[in-house]
Amino acid sequence: MVRKIGVLTSGGDAPGMNAAIRAVTRIALNNGVEVVGVKNGYRGLLEETFIPLERGSVSDILDRGGTFLGSARLPGFREEAMQDECVKHLRRNGIDALVVIGGDGSYRGALALTKKGINCIGLPGTIDNDIPGTDLTIGFDTALRTCVENVDKLRDTSSSHHRCSIVEVMGNHCGDLALYTAISCGAEMVITPETGYDEIEVIERLRYLGNAVRKNHAIVIISEKITDVEALAKKVTLNTEFSGRATVLGHIQRGGSPTPSDRMLASRMGEKAVDLLMEGIGGQCVGIIDNSLTAMPIQEALERPKASRKHLYRLFDRLV
Ligand code: ATP
């Protein structure tokens, strides 16, 4: 029987995390279960920074980006001794179960706690869409909107000056943010961990677009951690018809009011997490697959290969 549920946000913050906290809180309270917010991810378990959450504690946060509970990384939480210490703190405060909103690292922490007797449910909260076991993560749609809005603006100025805009977007080794942005913005090229990167090919393609196709501008969307985009832009200027300009969108991608889709996803996933805990289930994570809400063991999700995006890369190629 669950009497008190804790909720925490861990890893990188993402728009929609607040909507998930709100859903967990309201739905648990409506089930007669007490709720506490844990400040700053797993660090809050260690430091026992627990705040009781009432219905009103989560008012006016649905439309706010970030996470009002704060998020943190605590590398020491990988060690059993620290996990045992945290379990002791949870028990001392009467917290029987936990909802963990974060990425795959946070999921591993949730699994460790479940094995130690505290049922945990993981919700995928990250702008990178890099969590296996779900087609979409909370925050991805909002980050995509930010990328698209900014690339649209760059297009206006690029086309006036015969420029090639090279735009670096986030993704943490996952190309989804770049791919979805490229399709949504009608980019000329997309470079991601999935496409691979060959500088000579990029220059040749841009030469072709400038000389043979006579395009007056070009947009290249590239995932972070692939190459130095400033250096690439200089090579574009030296070797093609275009004047190369690099833009790194950076941390603005993490901010902003969550889109309605992210608010819906977070609310639905929050509901599912509480329902699972009320059934006495732990060690699972919630996902959305083919538009249906799912739950699967965290271990299984972590071992799953990420769903293929081949059809979307093919679509991109057919649109240029
Ligand atoms: P993001 O995708 O935004 O990086 P994440 O949840 O993957 O989010 P991590 O930094 O990998 O971010 O993990 C967040 C926290 O989860 C870590 O600081 C640590 O406290 C905990 N954690 C990570 N890996 C493990 C593990 N193997 N065992 C227990 N806890 C872990």
Side-chain angles (χ1 to χ4, degrees), residues 254-289:
R254 282 198 187 281
S257 176
T259 59
S261 293
D262 269 332
R263 297 181 201 189
M264 285 294 298
L265 187 65
S267 303
R268 292 177 70 194
M269 288 183 162
E271 177 189 40
K272 182 85 179 171
V274 174
D275 287 348
L276 289 166
L277 291 175
M278 298 294 291
E279 287 171 41
I281 295 170
Q284 298 214 353
C285 55
V286 177
I288 187 155
I289 298 177

Side-chain angles (χ1 to χ4, degrees), residues 10-12 42 72-75 77-78 83 102-106 108-109 126 128 130 172:
S10 167
Y42 292 117
R73 297 186 201 273
L74 180 67
F77 194 72
R78 287 181 179 81
Q83 293 164 10
D104 56 345
S106 305
R108 285 176 218 279
T126 168
D128 298 322
D130 63 343
N172 187 32

